[in-house]
Amino acid sequence: MSDSTLPQPFSDLESFVSDWALPTRAQRYEARLSKPFDELVAFYDAVAPRAEDAIAYLNGLDIDDLPDDATRLLHLLYSMILVSYAVNVFKQNRIPDSGAAFFEMVAEPAV
């Protein structure tokens, strides 16, 4: 693997890859629950302003044949979306007033 794990235009987001470029929703949700809230905010604040550019970049590729670096970028976007609820709506990692309730996802997105 090269030094860069993301497409070059998004190399400024490299520091988030190991924690947030996770392949499954369950892994992303576990990361959201296990990290301090300020880390969620820092991740969201770094990725959200780049989201439109990342989407435009990914739209230029064949979704069925993404290179590894683009797949990691897509996973970062998935994590940013999941974290956005915690940061912008709930203002905490967990869904308020949900107690021990947990929703188990039975299917993942195709990519």
Side-chain angles (χ1 to χ4, degrees), residues 10-83:
F10 304 97
S11 61
D12 58 310
L13 302 175
E14 290 286 339
S15 64
F16 298 105
V17 169
S18 62
D19 287 338
W20 293 105
L22 303 170
T24 69
R25 184 215 170 271
Q27 290 171 317
R28 292 187 287 273
Y29 192 71
E30 177 58 34
R32 182 178 112 178
L33 295 179
S34 67
K35 300 202 177 297
F37 184 71
D38 62 329
E39 286 186 30
L40 272 62
V41 173
F43 169 67
Y44 178 81
D45 287 349
V47 177
R50 306 294 315 281
E52 286 187 36
D53 292 337
I55 292 167
Y57 177 86
L58 293 168
N59 280 341
L61 302 174
D62 179 357
I63 194 75
D64 294 318
D65 192 28
L66 288 177
D68 290 343
D69 60 347
T71 299
R72 283 186 286 277
L73 180 62
L74 181 63
H75 291 163
L76 279 183
L77 288 175
Y78 288 162
S79 289
M80 187 269 308
I81 292 165
L82 190 92
V83 166

Side-chain angles (χ1 to χ4, degrees), residues 6 14-15 30 37 55-56 67 83 88 90 92-93 103 105:
L6 291 174
E14 290 286 339
S15 64
E30 177 58 34
F37 184 71
I55 292 167
V83 166
N88 294 319
F90 308 139
Q92 61 185 17
N93 300 45
F103 178 75
M105 187 136 192

